[in-house]
């Protein structure tokens, strides 16, 4: 499974970490890790800054476990990580990587797909990128496998007191994931830091929109930041400016523009 492990080269590493990867040419994250031993360096540095010892972290769309392993190492023995990955092959690799780094005692791994409803679902598989599966049919023919959907509030509501850091990258179903988690997040005395991928094209295919996702996140009352990975900085923005950008992207045929956004008080980097 995944062949030999590589050692990660991280900014401000929480310790030596290794990962087994997908076969070459089958997964964008694995291919990048094989080349550079780090995925999205600025986002990596940002996540490490947002996760303190003892933190409770939730990784939705964990794939092979890159951010799960980072979070578990950074949060330390007093921390807790809940990771969700519905694809059976990815889940097996996620589990193997958590075990490889001796972090199983602080991780709860689930093969559920978080959503705004509970029940049976389908995972539509990408033919050329094992990190690009999705829980909706999309705009092309894809084989599908049965999965279980769950509301985050119901799965996590009794398991933890509060989430400190939440990462959501689910190839277009981010709005449904957040809808299932928002009741839990709204009850917290201190909202979590949230890193989420914002892709209007995929959100529309999934039956939502970028504007709807931004509006739901705005209810938490936290600052919005654009994660500028090219310049390596956070750019302050407003919910309405992001929503307008989403509208413009959605109105342009073929535009698959996306960005990572942070909803949080900015950390020291």
């Amino acid at each position: 499974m995944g062949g030999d492990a590589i050692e990660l080269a991280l900014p401000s590493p929480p310790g030596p970490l290794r990962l087994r990867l997908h076969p070459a040419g089958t997964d964008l994250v694995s291919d990048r890790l094989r080349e550079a031993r780090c995925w999205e360096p600025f986002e990596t540095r940002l996540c490490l800054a947002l996760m303190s010892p003892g933190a409770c972290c939730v990784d939705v769309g964990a794939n092979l476990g890159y951010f799960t392993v980072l979070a578990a190492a950074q949060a330390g023995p007093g921390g807790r990580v809940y990771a969700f990955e519905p694809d059976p092959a990815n889940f097996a690799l996620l589990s193997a990587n958590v075990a490889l780094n001796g972090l199983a005692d602080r991780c709860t791994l689930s093969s559920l797909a978080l959503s705004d409803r509970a029940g049976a679902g389908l995972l539509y598989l990408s033919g050329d990128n094992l990190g690009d599966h999705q829980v909706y049919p999309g705009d092309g023919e894809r084989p599908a496998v049965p999965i279980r959907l769950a509301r985050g509030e119901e799965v996590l509501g009794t398991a933890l007191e509060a989430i400190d850091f939440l990462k959501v990258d689910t190839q277009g179903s981010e709005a449904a994931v957040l809808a299932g988690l928002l009741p839990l997040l709204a009850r917290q005395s201190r909202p979590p830091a949230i890193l989420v991928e914002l892709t209007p094209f995929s959100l529309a295919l999934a039956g939502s929109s970028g504007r709807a996702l931004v509006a739901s996140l705005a209810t938490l009352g936290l600052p919005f930041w654009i994660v500028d990975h090219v310049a390596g900085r956070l750019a302050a923005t407003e919910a309405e400016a992001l929503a307008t950008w989403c509208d413009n992207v959605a109105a342009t045929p073929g535009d698959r523009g996306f960005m990572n956004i942070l909803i949080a008080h900015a950390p020291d980097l």
Side-chain angles (χ1 to χ4, degrees):
M1 179 191 301
D4 294 335
I6 64 155
E7 185 166 336
L8 299 180
L10 303 172
S12 304
L17 298 172
R18 296 182 298 153
L19 290 179
R20 290 192 172 93
L21 307 177
H22 295 99
T26 66
D27 174 70
L28 180 63
V29 176
S30 288
D31 286 350
R32 184 58 182 161
L33 286 172
R34 195 172 278 110
E35 293 174 2
R37 297 189 295 138
C38 182
W39 169 250
E40 296 184 332
F42 180 66
E43 281 86 343
T44 294
R45 185 157 62 95
L46 178 62
C47 289
L48 291 172
L50 289 165
M51 297 181 292
S52 57
C56 177
C57 308
V58 176
D59 184 1
V60 187
N63 193 355
L64 57 81
Y66 178 79
F67 285 108
T68 297
V69 167
L70 257 63
Q74 185 78 340
R80 195 74 202 167
V81 180
Y82 296 84
F84 296 87
E85 173 52 56
D87 176 66
N90 287 343
F91 184 79
L93 195 51
L94 163 68
S95 302
N97 281 326
V98 167
L100 175 66
N101 290 280
L103 299 170
D105 62 337
R106 63 189 79 163
C107 294
T108 299
L109 310 180
S110 174
S111 58
L112 295 169
L114 292 194
S115 185
D116 55 356
R117 65 181 180 89
L122 291 172
L123 186 68
Y124 295 85
L125 306 179
S126 169
D128 57 9
N129 182 1
L130 297 175
D132 191 35
H133 305 326
Q134 57 197 39
V135 298
Y136 54 91
D139 61 345
E141 292 294 326
R142 290 182 176 218
V145 296
I147 56 170
R148 299 296 300 176
L149 305 174
R151 286 178 57 86
E153 177 191 21
E154 296 170 359
V155 175
L156 296 171
T158 58
L160 50 81
E161 293 184 4
I163 299 170
D164 298 302
F165 176 76
L166 169 64
K167 182 223 107 187
V168 185
D169 184 353
T170 56
Q171 308 307 109
S173 60
E174 289 83 2
V177 171
L178 265 299
L181 281 168
L182 274 173
L184 172 62
L185 305 182
R187 291 198 300 268
Q188 296 187 190
S189 58
R190 180 173 56 86
I194 303 173
L195 180 67
V196 60
E197 186 174 83
L198 180 61
T199 311
F201 179 86
S202 299
L203 287 161
L205 287 178
S208 185
S209 68
R211 174 172 285 275
L213 175 58
V214 170
S216 66
L217 291 166
T219 63
L220 296 172
L222 291 168
F224 280 82
W225 306 87
I226 295 170
V227 180
D228 184 345
H229 65 271
V230 175
R233 68 185 185 98
L234 292 173
T237 187
E238 302 289 338
E240 183 54 35
L242 279 177
T244 299
W245 176 81
C246 290
D247 292 343
N248 291 337
V249 171
T252 305
D255 191 335
R256 303 195 182 202
F258 70 95
M259 65 173 73
N260 288 330
I261 60 172
L262 175 69
I263 304 91
H265 297 292
D268 294 327
L269 293 171

